[in-house]
Amino acid sequence: MASSKRQAFLASVGADHCPPQSTRVLRRASDTGTCRLVIAGRMADVCAELDRLAASEALRA
């Protein structure tokens, strides 16, 4: 069951169709004010995107 949920999740973010060096960042905001963030791609690219997001947040603070 967990495997089918994982496959459905990967299909929803298009991870099977991403070029090797692309990073996908998806944000979904809810009515309650919470937000879900999904970053898909190569580990190095995902880490770089997280660093970029952290730097952006630090500038806002």
Side-chain angles (χ1 to χ4, degrees), residues 5 8 42 48 59:
K5 285 184 180 181
R42 291 187 324 163
L59 289 175

Side-chain angles (χ1 to χ4, degrees), residues 1-59:
M1 179 152 175
S3 176
S4 63
K5 285 184 180 181
R6 182 177 186 277
Q7 290 171 347
F9 170 76
L10 291 174
S12 72
V13 297
D16 294 338
H17 303 292
C18 290
Q21 294 184 358
S22 77
T23 303
R24 249 184 153 165
V25 179
L26 305 170
R27 293 179 194 211
R28 178 184 292 169
S30 71
D31 294 337
T32 62
T34 60
C35 183
R36 180 175 290 185
L37 178 69
V38 176
I39 304 175
R42 291 187 324 163
M43 184 61 75
D45 294 334
V46 169
C47 290
E49 182 63 22
L50 286 171
D51 288 342
R52 188 192 69 75
L53 288 170
S56 174
E57 288 291 322
L59 289 175

